[in-house]
Amino acid sequence: MTRDVPPWLQEALDSHPCYNEKAHRSFARMHLPVAPRCNIQCNYCDRRYDCSNESRPGVTSELLSPQEALEKVRMVKERIPELSVVAVAGPGDPLANEETFSAMRMVKEEFPDLTLCLSTNGLMLPDNLDRIKELGIGFVTVTINAVDPDVGKDIYEFVSFKGRNYRGREAAEVLLQRQLEGIKGCVERDILVKANMVLIPDINGEHIPEAVERLKELGVYIINILPLIPVEGTAFADQRAPTARERKELQDRCSGDGVKMMRHCKQCRADAIGLLGDDRSAEFEKAACGSSCGPGKAMQVSGPPCRSVAVASGDGVNVDGGLGNSALFRLFEIRGGEAVEAGSTEVNQYMDVPLVGEAHRRRLQLVADQLSGHAAVVVSEIGHLALSMMEGRGVKVVVHRGTVEEGLKAAIRELDADD
Ligand code: CLF
Ligand code: SF4
């Protein structure tokens, strides 16, 4: 018998296109791409693309601030009346980004009739259970690819948890323990859990049935076995993807007996909008821009032009690092020639990577991805590789050794000169 549906979720379940197959042709979902950062590194993920928790590799998502996301919900709700679910599913991990909660809160306040949903790698789930429940988020997906650290150790490059970076078996152990604790906490709070499992035939193919058994015992409501999509430039670029037959056999083998099996997943983008089989996100691209600019492709539709600049500065006073050795970038919007503070973005989850070789290149790439979408970055130094990565992403690099204030002035001058 399938897990009982908590009464407070029955109505929402009837119109949830992912948790309820019957609903997927009549109800639409919308993902808010407000969560760029991630706290782990899955070997199949390249964050130039969308998060594989809930997405397919493809076009990079635009990133929105919570305010921009709310404005976009207003627009989408007007044009897609069948919208029933609003979710955060990347492009990084929703729970590694405070913006997820700000956006959800705003949506809940203005649209209490919409169902809230999120998808996470689970690392920070135990710490956020009460907030999730309080916000009325009744549907949580956890991507859990193994319940044995000896299998998981080959799937994750690192896990960054509470100031420490873990690798190998230890990383898989930390992640698994948090995922299991998080799932248990959701079930205890009457939140419906979906477990996403990326099927990597030569790594976890044999292990998935055992993992599904464990997840059933924990009270997971529905299982979603997704095929690995090998992405160029990732550690799993050469891993074999499953065949359709392999996946179906596994789905059949793991079906029934206390758990539902999702078979209609579309491996959506982190900014997907519409019915599962009819993505309409392109219609709404660049539709949102409110009072602030940020990373991503948000576009100003009214008011004075604004651009965003990221400055490498740990103390907020001096420009004190390069792309490869900074933990924090301060963000500013340039409006009418003035720089206005707009928060900060941490890249310290990549700090524990050797400064040479492939790992270093990859780290630079991740930091560059995180900073892509800004008009300029200000750093005190930069190497050839990092420079070409930033320029390749259309970001102006300003090298400045001095104060943040002077660095911003230099950035404004250089951006103006380009106009
Ligand atoms: Fe989005 Fe995921 Fe919520 Fe659905 S998607 S966060 S549960 S609202 Fe759905 Fe898309 Fe498959 Fe995800 S089809 S990738 S299962
Ligand atoms: Fe990528 Fe993080 Fe998602 Fe893994 S959890 S697929 S590393 S964004």
Side-chain angles (χ1 to χ4, degrees), residues 293-294 300 304-309 332-340 373-376 411-419:
C293 286
Q300 185 75 9
C306 62
R307 293 176 288 201
S308 63
V309 176
F332 296 85
E333 287 172 15
I334 310 299
R335 299 182 154 269
E338 294 295 318
V340 181
H374 291 290
I412 293 169
R413 274 197 304 275
E414 294 206 22
L415 288 170
D416 284 348
D418 285 350
D419 284 346

Side-chain angles (χ1 to χ4, degrees), residues 374-391:
H374 291 290
V377 292
V378 181
V379 287
S380 63
E381 59 186 7
I382 193 146
H384 289 302
L385 183 58
L387 181 63
S388 71
M389 285 179 183
M390 292 315 296
E391 288 181 344

Side-chain angles (χ1 to χ4, degrees), residues 38-42 44-47 51-53 91-93 121:
C38 193
N39 40 22
I40 70 174
Q41 180 60 57
C42 305
Y44 47 72
C45 174
D46 183 336
R47 290 202 292 132
C51 171
S52 296
N53 272 340
D93 186 70
N121 60 38

Side-chain angles (χ1 to χ4, degrees), residues 41 43 149 152-154 156-161 164-174 349-354 359-360 363 366:
Q41 180 60 57
N43 284 335
K153 72 179 184 350
D154 295 327
Y156 305 102
E157 186 185 328
F158 66 79
V159 167
S160 177
F161 180 57
R164 240 192 96 182
N165 258 34
Y166 297 84
R167 292 180 171 274
R169 195 180 190 283
E170 216 188 349
E173 244 170 344
V174 170
Q349 66 268 40
Y350 313 130
M351 287 299 278
D352 198 20
V353 171
H360 180 57
R363 173 177 174 213
L366 290 168

Side-chain angles (χ1 to χ4, degrees), residues 258-294:
V259 78
K260 284 185 178 293
M261 181 63 57
M262 182 174 189
R263 294 174 191 259
H264 61 291
C265 177
K266 296 289 184 260
Q267 292 182 271
C268 320
R269 306 156 50 106
D271 59 358
I273 296 173
L275 299 178
L276 294 193
D278 177 23
D279 188 72
R280 293 175 58 179
S281 53
E283 271 176 51
F284 297 92
E285 251 178 42
K286 300 180 181 167
C289 181
S291 53
S292 65
C293 286

Side-chain angles (χ1 to χ4, degrees), residues 42-310:
C42 305
N43 284 335
Y44 47 72
C45 174
D46 183 336
R47 290 202 292 132
R48 278 175 301 181
Y49 305 102
D50 296 337
C51 171
S52 296
N53 272 340
E54 291 288 347
S55 60
R56 65 174 164 73
V59 187
T60 308
S61 307
E62 65 179 357
L63 295 177
L64 299 178
S65 69
Q67 182 60 38
E68 288 166 342
L70 176 66
E71 285 163 22
K72 197 164 176 178
V73 174
R74 285 184 194 135
M75 236 174 280
V76 170
K77 191 144 194 305
E78 222 164 81
R79 285 173 37 193
I80 306 184
E82 59 273 35
L83 179 70
S84 62
V85 177
V86 168
V88 180
D93 186 70
L95 300 183
N97 295 267
E98 197 50 36
E99 290 88 341
T100 296
F101 291 98
S102 314
M104 292 288 206
R105 195 165 299 114
M106 288 180 189
V107 172
K108 179 186 157 76
E109 271 167 24
E110 192 164 324
F111 301 104
D113 53 322
L114 288 174
T115 297
L116 300 179
C117 186
L118 67 80
S119 167
T120 172
N121 60 38
L123 183 66
M124 296 314 292
L125 189 51
D127 294 4
N128 286 291
L129 287 164
D130 291 334
R131 292 167 94 190
I132 289 171
K133 179 73 185 200
E134 237 171 69
L135 270 172
I137 301 171
F139 299 86
V140 170
T141 293
V142 180
T143 299
I144 176 164
N145 301 317
V147 297
D148 178 347
D150 284 325
V151 177
K153 72 179 184 350
D154 295 327
I155 301 177
Y156 305 102
E157 186 185 328
F158 66 79
V159 167
S160 177
F161 180 57
K162 304 215 166 161
R164 240 192 96 182
N165 258 34
Y166 297 84
R167 292 180 171 274
R169 195 180 190 283
E170 216 188 349
E173 244 170 344
V174 170
L175 180 62
L176 175 62
Q177 186 266 323
R178 299 283 293 176
Q179 289 172 325
L180 297 177
E181 191 184 333
I183 292 172
K184 192 164 165 274
C186 284
V187 173
E188 283 166 2
R189 285 165 183 78
D190 274 348
I191 293 167
L192 278 194
V193 178
K194 173 156 69 61
N196 275 5
M197 314 183 82
V198 179
L199 168 57
I200 312 150
D202 295 337
I203 293 185
N204 66 356
E206 291 297 315
H207 171 67
I208 282 184
E210 174 195 336
V212 169
E213 279 311 309
R214 183 84 185 272
L215 295 169
K216 276 185 206 171
E217 284 163 23
L218 282 176
V220 164
Y221 177 74
I222 185 166
I223 302 280
N224 182 17
I225 299 174
L226 303 138
L228 168 76
I229 303 175
V231 175
E232 198 59 40
T234 67
F236 280 180
D238 297 324
Q239 270 294 330
R240 183 174 75 78
T243 63
R245 181 194 299 275
E246 263 177 325
R247 181 178 173 219
K248 182 173 180 313
E249 278 174 5
L250 200 53
Q251 285 173 327
D252 291 346
R253 196 169 148 201
C254 299
S255 283
D257 195 22
V259 78
K260 284 185 178 293
M261 181 63 57
M262 182 174 189
R263 294 174 191 259
H264 61 291
C265 177
K266 296 289 184 260
Q267 292 182 271
C268 320
R269 306 156 50 106
D271 59 358
I273 296 173
L275 299 178
L276 294 193
D278 177 23
D279 188 72
R280 293 175 58 179
S281 53
E283 271 176 51
F284 297 92
E285 251 178 42
K286 300 180 181 167
C289 181
S291 53
S292 65
C293 286
K297 299 178 204 143
M299 186 184 79
Q300 185 75 9
V301 289
S302 64
C306 62
R307 293 176 288 201
S308 63
V309 176

